[in-house]
Amino acid sequence: MSSLGSIFYGAVISPKTLTTYDAFSHCLLSVGSDGNIDWIEENVEEHDLQHTLAKKGLVDVDVVALQPGEFLLPGFIDTHTHAPQLPNLGCGQQYELLEWLNNVTFPMEAKFSDIDFARRSYESAVRRIVDCGTTTCCYYGTLHLEATKLLANIVHANGQRAFIGKCNMDRECPEYYVEPSAEVSIRDTLALINHIRSLPSSQDTHPLVQPILTPRFAISCTPDLLTSLGELASSDPSLPIQTHVSENLSEIEVVSQLFPNSLHYTGVYDHFGLLRSNTILAHGIWLKDAEIELIAERKAGISHCPTSNFNLSSGVAPIGVYLDKGIKVGLGTDVSGGFSPSILDVVQNASITSKVVAMQNRNLEKFASTFANRQFTVATLLYLATMGGAEVCDIDKKVGSFAPGKSFDALLVNTRSSAGTPGLWFPEDDVRRMDKTALEGLLERFLFCGDDRNISRVYVQGRLIGGKSFNRV
């Protein structure tokens, strides 16, 4: 990992709300030695650059000058992915969820009992995810303690911000891939928590890698295991939780059979004390009205995984309804239900999802709605990919946008023809004038036509950790 220049000058884009974002063509942004943003000057013409720096007491300082067609963007936040499933990318799209798990996913995850296989796979997976622009990632590991500790070590060594959990799964899984008891599951979970919290970190910053409780989904957990996880969560309110909810209709039916006393799927987690403000619920496609109200009341977040929702024929999530209810929503790649580790792919499918919902409900009353049954704007999509994910992960005071005091988790995006992205047309005439309209156009082109080739640099806590121009030693 390499240190960055402390001052950037050029185009900067940052989300403000679900409907607005800032786009400054000539911005000065200063990053301190601790990796936090010191100050931002929003509009500094080139002829005023040295004068502005001098007023800050800075003379003859190095400035990272962005080229026309480059801009800084807050790093992407992936609120739901499965690290051991990257070797399965592009496989199994003919199945729906439960068949996909048994035929494709569980056989692959079982291979991670081999620590050498786990090391090779995780080293490649983390590098790919970082280079796709994901500065914060919520990782599911496997049920294997040693392999998941290794995942944490690799993420830590790569300098990525992350939440990492060992899957809890002691029933309704193949004999070759299931934990022997709730006691063993909890023992290994505690061991992983202790391991992650013992990883070295700077005294000046919050640890980048944090543990997260990971009951895989209600089906895979006995009541005894959920009870113990709830007790563990209650003993440590800072410990986040991630799981799945209402992804597939067949899944929901099995949950109702296994938990007949629960009013609904979400109620299972609430009953065991696992639904709270730092709970991340993946999918949430088929939530009942009572579940939506409960999630909003508990201030839990939803990880929207539209690529996976389409690919496994799970359904179309009414995300606009959740946003109108004030529920926190971020984006998730859900590899390998989702066939890409890039949040850019998720942004594009989130846009399509919102348009499908809008077309299906075009005759419904919309005047009382801000987001429900409407297609999402670029501002909304940008927010979900950055600040929305930060809110879901309960780290929005730290990352997700650019502001003094926040961590510099950022992407240096290059939309120039030199990036070599065939589908991204570089509008040279627009870029020459580089006003707000031109910059907004570059953002839209990047979100819908860009890929990892356009992500030149990836920064986490002020350190360069990846991107197309990053040279790993």
Side-chain angles (χ1 to χ4, degrees):
M1 294 179 289
S2 303
S3 297
L4 75 164
S6 61
I7 300 174
F8 291 87
Y9 178 63
V12 174
I13 295 173
S14 182
K16 293 178 65 179
T17 70
L18 279 160
T19 57
T20 61
Y21 63 91
D22 287 323
F24 304 116
S25 298
H26 303 91
C27 182
L28 263 177
L29 188 152
S30 176
V31 180
S33 59
D34 60 357
N36 293 329
I37 298 171
D38 284 338
W39 49 262
I40 300 174
E41 292 289 339
E42 296 173 353
N43 294 293
V44 180
E45 295 297 330
E46 192 168 354
H47 60 81
D48 285 330
L49 178 59
Q50 293 304 321
H51 176 66
T52 303
L53 290 170
K55 287 196 300 183
K56 299 286 187 181
L58 301 170
V59 180
D60 294 329
V61 294
D62 292 331
V63 175
V64 179
L66 276 61
Q67 300 299 307
E70 295 181 334
F71 57 86
L72 289 178
L73 189 71
F76 294 140
I77 297 176
D78 188 345
T79 57
H80 181 70
T81 204
H82 296 261
Q85 292 181 26
L86 263 80
N88 271 346
L89 280 170
C91 301
Q93 55 79 34
Q94 69 270 33
Y95 297 111
E96 291 194 16
L97 176 65
L98 298 182
E99 294 78 17
W100 173 80
L101 286 171
N102 286 313
N103 289 289
V104 179
T105 300
F106 289 154
M108 173 56 71
E109 291 192 10
K111 293 181 180 181
F112 283 75
S113 61
D114 180 340
I115 203 69
D116 290 330
F117 176 81
R119 178 177 291 102
R120 293 194 306 272
S121 299
Y122 283 150
E123 285 177 347
S124 178
V126 173
R127 285 196 302 268
R128 292 167 188 243
I129 291 169
V130 167
D131 286 342
C132 283
T134 299
T135 52
T136 297
C137 193
C138 297
Y139 288 107
Y140 283 58
T142 61
L143 59 74
H144 309 106
L145 171 60
E146 293 307 316
T148 311
K149 286 163 66 174
L150 179 62
L151 172 61
N153 295 346
I154 291 169
V155 171
H156 181 265
N158 276 271
Q160 189 184 37
R161 195 181 303 274
F163 297 86
I164 297 175
K166 184 202 73 63
C167 283
N168 301 109
M169 39 193 295
D170 69 338
R171 71 165 171 185
E172 299 294 326
C173 299
E175 289 184 3
Y176 64 83
Y177 189 57
V178 65
E179 293 178 299
S181 67
E183 291 76 16
V184 169
S185 184
I186 293 297
R187 180 199 68 195
D188 287 353
T189 297
L190 288 169
L192 179 67
I193 292 170
N194 290 334
H195 174 78
I196 292 175
R197 288 178 171 171
S198 70
L199 293 173
S201 63
S202 169
Q203 295 181 345
D204 300 328
T205 62
H206 198 67
L208 294 180
V209 181
Q210 299 183 56
I212 184 168
L213 289 183
T214 308
R216 187 178 195 115
F217 61 164
I219 292 174
S220 72
C221 298
T222 60
D224 284 347
L225 178 52
L226 291 172
T227 296
S228 296
L229 288 169
E231 291 170 350
L232 178 54
S234 177
S235 70
D236 188 351
S238 69
L239 190 61
I241 303 159
Q242 62 181 357
T243 191
H244 300 76
V245 71
S246 297
E247 178 179 357
N248 173 282
L249 292 174
S250 297
E251 168 207 20
I252 295 169
E253 177 60 29
V254 175
V255 170
S256 69
Q257 295 169 4
L258 292 174
F259 299 93
N261 295 325
S262 179
L263 293 176
H264 41 62
Y265 198 154
T266 307
V268 174
Y269 299 127
D270 191 55
H271 173 76
F272 290 101
L274 296 169
L275 191 67
R276 60 191 192 187
S277 63
N278 55 357
T279 296
I280 304 170
L281 299 168
H283 301 284
I285 300 171
W286 303 101
L287 296 172
K288 300 175 182 177
D289 289 346
E291 292 179 277
I292 297 171
E293 296 295 338
L294 180 59
I295 291 169
E297 180 182 344
R298 296 288 187 264
K299 296 181 171 56
I302 296 285
S303 176
H304 180 33
C305 306
T307 309
S308 173
N309 295 345
F310 282 133
N311 192 44
L312 297 183
S313 301
S314 297
V316 180
I319 296 301
V321 172
Y322 308 157
L323 294 176
D324 282 342
K325 289 288 185 179
I327 293 174
K328 302 176 293 187
V329 178
L331 299 181
T333 57
D334 191 30
V335 169
S336 66
F339 46 72
S340 170
S342 174
I343 286 292
L344 283 173
D345 183 271
V346 182
V347 165
Q348 295 151 22
N349 280 298
S351 175
I352 294 170
T353 296
S354 70
K355 292 174 181 177
V356 170
V357 172
M359 288 187 290
Q360 290 175 335
N361 298 282
R362 64 171 75 248
N363 296 322
L364 295 182
E365 180 66 64
K366 296 181 181 179
F367 295 111
S369 161
T370 301
F371 300 103
N373 304 324
R374 298 177 183 271
Q375 70 179 61
F376 291 164
T377 64
V378 168
T380 301
L381 296 168
L382 173 63
Y383 194 91
L384 295 178
T386 54
M387 195 63 185
E391 291 171 344
V392 168
C393 294
D394 205 25
I395 53 174
D396 50 298
K397 299 294 189 295
K398 188 72 174 170
V399 299
S401 63
F402 294 140
K406 280 195 162 186
S407 298
F408 187 68
D409 286 19
L411 311 180
L412 197 161
V413 176
N414 173 19
T415 63
R416 297 160 66 89
S417 299
S418 59
T421 310
L424 201 162
W425 188 269
F426 182 63
E428 293 186 19
D429 291 341
D430 292 345
V431 172
R432 284 194 188 98
R433 73 174 189 270
M434 206 52 181
D435 56 11
K436 186 172 186 290
T437 300
L439 184 53
E440 290 173 343
L442 287 184
L443 172 64
E444 184 173 13
R445 290 171 187 263
F446 169 63
L447 291 179
F448 284 91
C449 302
D451 59 31
D452 61 292
R453 286 169 289 190
N454 301 107
I455 298 171
S456 180
R457 305 181 197 173
V458 179
Y459 296 96
V460 171
Q461 197 62 47
R463 297 191 68 83
L464 176 61
I465 69 164
K468 194 67 175 178
S469 65
F470 180 64
N471 293 318
R472 290 184 171 85
V473 294

